[in-house]
């Protein structure tokens, strides 16, 4: 490829990311999509992968799973190695033309109030590794919402590292996993917050807390936890109010409700990630709102 074409592809990719974050250019999601399209056509692999993510998650245009999958397959055919990896992950999934699972194993009910269900082995080891490694470069100290100010602050309640899989990093396998969680919980995929990846080193824990947010009309009605690995001791998810302890293995999912029928926070949903005694624990958390959430609204 011509040097000039390559550098203009890189420049268009740069412009696209500026329009996505809204800095230093105004946020313009449709314009970002157009620039990604042009950059992909000019041979930029980063643009190609980002275009797949944004096509499926409905950034700058309505969500379009079929086009996203076609774009991914085109990228794989152009020898973009990471695209081929994602195609392989998807081909191992039993999903329909919209990326939703064709069938799900039945859950086990662990509690009625709050409602708690578990699914064993509902993600493969490769899917778990894909989630855990998708934010390796971003892992930093966990933040929580300060109840007084509503701001994100580092907080001693959560002694772990965490990173959010933002919309540009939502690979197609990750979005298929989000659809799986949506099918399991009976909630809309657009009500889910971006997946958060948590990493606990030995001695780290998440002290008892509720997942509901202070002063929030669009409440976190449910939480889905995906246990991503094995080989650690301790680290169980514990609900002191109902005497429930879940020792999740790689690929297991735990889903629980955080609010009562009238929508108010349910104190019985209080839970903790018990201290990890040995090894490291990896977890993916999806907090699910009552109503659809604009994944771009709180950014930029
Ligand atoms: O680490 C755990 O088992 C609990 C995590 C948790 O409570 C959360 O992510 O909201
Ligand atoms: Fe929690």
């Amino acid at each position: 490829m011509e040097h000039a074409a390559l550098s203009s592809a890189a420049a268009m990719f740069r412009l696209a990311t500026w329009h996505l974050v809204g800095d230093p250019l105004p946020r313009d999601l449709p314009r970002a999509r157009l620039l990604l399209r042009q950059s992909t056509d000019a041979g930029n692999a980063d643009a190609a992968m980002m275009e797949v993510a944004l096509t499926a998650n409905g950034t700058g245009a309505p969500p379009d799973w079929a086009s996203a999958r076609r774009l991914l397959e085109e990228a794989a055919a152009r020898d973009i190695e990471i695209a081929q990896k994602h195609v392989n992950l998807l081909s191992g999934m039993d999903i329909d033309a919209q990326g939703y699972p064709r069938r799900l194993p039945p859950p086990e009910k662990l509690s009625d109030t709050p409602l708690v269900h578990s699914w064993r082995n509902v993600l493969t080891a490769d899917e778990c590794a894909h989630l855990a490694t998708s934010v390796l470069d971003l892992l930093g100290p966990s933040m929580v919402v300060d109840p007084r100010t509503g701001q994100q602050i580092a907080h001693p309640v959560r002694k772990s590292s965490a990173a959010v899989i933002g919309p540009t990093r939502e690979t197609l396998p990750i979005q298929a996993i989000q659809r799986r969680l949506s099918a399991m919980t009976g909630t809309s995929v657009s009500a889910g917050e971006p997946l958060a990846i948590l990493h606990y080193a030995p001695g780290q824990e998440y002290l008892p807390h509720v997942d509901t947010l202070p002063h929030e009309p669009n409440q976190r009605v449910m939480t889905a936890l995906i246990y991503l690995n094995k080989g650690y001791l301790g680290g169980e998810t514990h609900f002191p109010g109902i005497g429930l302890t879940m020792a999740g293995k790689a690929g297991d999912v735990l889903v629980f409700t955080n609010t009562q029928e009238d929508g108010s926070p349910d104190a019985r949903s209080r839970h903790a990630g018990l201290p990890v005694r040995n090894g490291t624990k990896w977890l993916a958390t999806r907090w699910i709102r009552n109503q659809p959430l604009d994944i771009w609204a709180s950014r930029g």
Side-chain angles (χ1 to χ4, degrees):
M1 177 135 349
E2 294 276 332
H3 179 69
L6 271 182
S7 61
S8 90
M12 286 186 286
F13 177 65
R14 172 73 59 89
L15 282 175
T17 60
W18 286 352
H19 279 304
L20 287 171
V21 296
D23 179 34
L25 293 172
R27 169 161 300 158
D28 187 337
L29 302 178
R31 174 118 194 98
R33 284 287 298 276
L34 189 67
L35 286 159
L36 286 177
R37 180 88 293 273
Q38 293 168 344
S39 182
T40 300
D41 271 345
N44 187 295
D46 293 330
M49 298 312 290
M50 200 176 279
E51 188 184 19
V52 170
L54 302 188
T55 301
N57 69 20
T59 296
D64 183 350
W65 182 271
S67 295
R69 187 139 187 184
R70 181 179 45 75
L71 288 168
L72 180 66
E73 276 157 15
E74 285 172 13
R78 288 207 319 272
D79 276 344
I80 300 178
E81 205 178 313
I82 189 144
Q84 188 57 57
K85 223 184 111 196
H86 295 180
V87 167
N88 292 344
L89 274 168
L90 287 172
S91 58
M93 297 181 185
D94 187 11
I95 51 176
D96 67 16
Q98 300 304 318
Y100 285 89
R102 288 220 173 74
R103 56 188 67 81
L104 281 171
E108 187 187 339
K109 195 203 268 187
L110 304 180
S111 160
D112 274 309
T113 39
L115 202 51
V116 185
H117 284 107
S118 71
W119 283 258
R120 295 288 179 180
N121 226 357
V122 80
L123 272 79
T124 67
D126 284 346
E127 290 168 356
C128 290
H130 181 63
L131 282 172
T133 56
S134 68
V135 289
L136 278 185
D137 55 323
L138 295 183
L139 280 170
S142 292
M143 309 295 270
V144 292
V145 177
D146 184 330
R148 290 161 305 155
T149 63
Q151 299 295 305
Q152 293 276 342
I153 48 163
H155 197 292
V157 149
R158 193 154 130 187
K159 297 176 183 127
S160 58
S161 307
V164 166
I165 305 177
T168 61
R169 287 176 180 249
E170 286 178 342
T171 67
L172 228 43
I174 289 174
Q175 294 192 51
I177 292 165
Q178 291 171 336
R179 281 162 171 71
R180 198 176 309 166
L181 294 176
S182 128
M184 290 160 70
T185 53
T187 59
S188 160
V189 72
S190 58
E193 290 183 35
L195 276 163
I197 304 296
L198 274 63
H199 169 272
Y200 298 80
Q204 292 187 323
E205 64 185 309
Y206 197 160
L207 292 171
H209 65 280
V210 289
D211 288 346
T212 47
L213 295 166
H215 321 296
E216 174 57 60
N218 188 13
Q219 200 46 269
R220 288 172 166 170
V221 290
M222 272 189 226
T223 300
L225 303 180
I226 310 174
Y227 300 87
L228 297 178
N229 72 321
K230 56 180 182 182
Y232 58 89
L233 292 175
E236 302 89 348
T237 307
H238 178 59
F239 296 75
I242 54 173
L244 178 68
T245 304
M246 167 82 176
K249 301 218 177 53
D252 294 348
V253 169
L254 186 73
V255 170
F256 52 92
T257 52
N258 296 313
T259 51
Q260 315 192 63
E261 255 158 47
D262 66 359
S264 62
D266 185 349
R268 290 165 296 189
S269 72
R270 214 162 64 93
H271 57 278
L274 297 181
V276 171
R277 295 198 304 274
N278 200 308
T280 44
K281 169 185 168 190
W282 289 88
L283 189 76
T285 297
R286 178 101 155 151
W287 291 298
I288 300 168
R289 301 298 187 96
N290 190 35
Q291 297 291 323
L293 193 70
D294 178 356
I295 47 175
W296 289 95
S298 58
R299 276 154 226 281

